[in-house]
Amino acid sequence: SDGGKLLVVPMVGSHWLSMQEVVEKLSQRGHEVVVLVPEVTWNIETTQAYKVVTYPVRQTLEELDNAF
């Protein structure tokens, strides 16, 4: 396909580890990818393959850990 724009919004506890590889491949194929993540999160690593935009949340990492 021709390059397009893609917004990815992984939720806490989502399948990000599986999605990350797909997102990176789409970026390599010319898609402009933006990943929107909360400031407090687990396992959502950044890379130069896509742009990461964070948004503020009220929850602390400790509260997140306790919730799960």
Side-chain angles (χ1 to χ4, degrees), residues 2 13 43 50 54 57 61-62:
D2 293 333
N43 297 329
Y50 48 84
T54 61
V57 292
L61 187 56
E62 184 178 332

Side-chain angles (χ1 to χ4, degrees), residues 6-10 16 20 23-24 27 32-56:
L6 178 66
L7 175 64
V8 180
V9 187
W16 172 248
Q20 184 176 11
V23 169
E24 288 176 357
S27 177
E32 181 182 338
V33 181
V34 175
V35 179
L36 184 64
V37 299
E39 289 177 333
V40 175
T41 188
W42 302 309
N43 297 329
I44 299 181
E45 299 174 8
T46 61
T47 178
Q48 292 189 9
Y50 48 84
K51 180 179 179 180
V52 174
V53 176
T54 61
Y55 60 91

Side-chain angles (χ1 to χ4, degrees), residues 8-19:
V8 180
V9 187
M11 297 287 117
V12 172
S14 73
H15 300 290
W16 172 248
L17 296 176
S18 302
M19 290 173 45

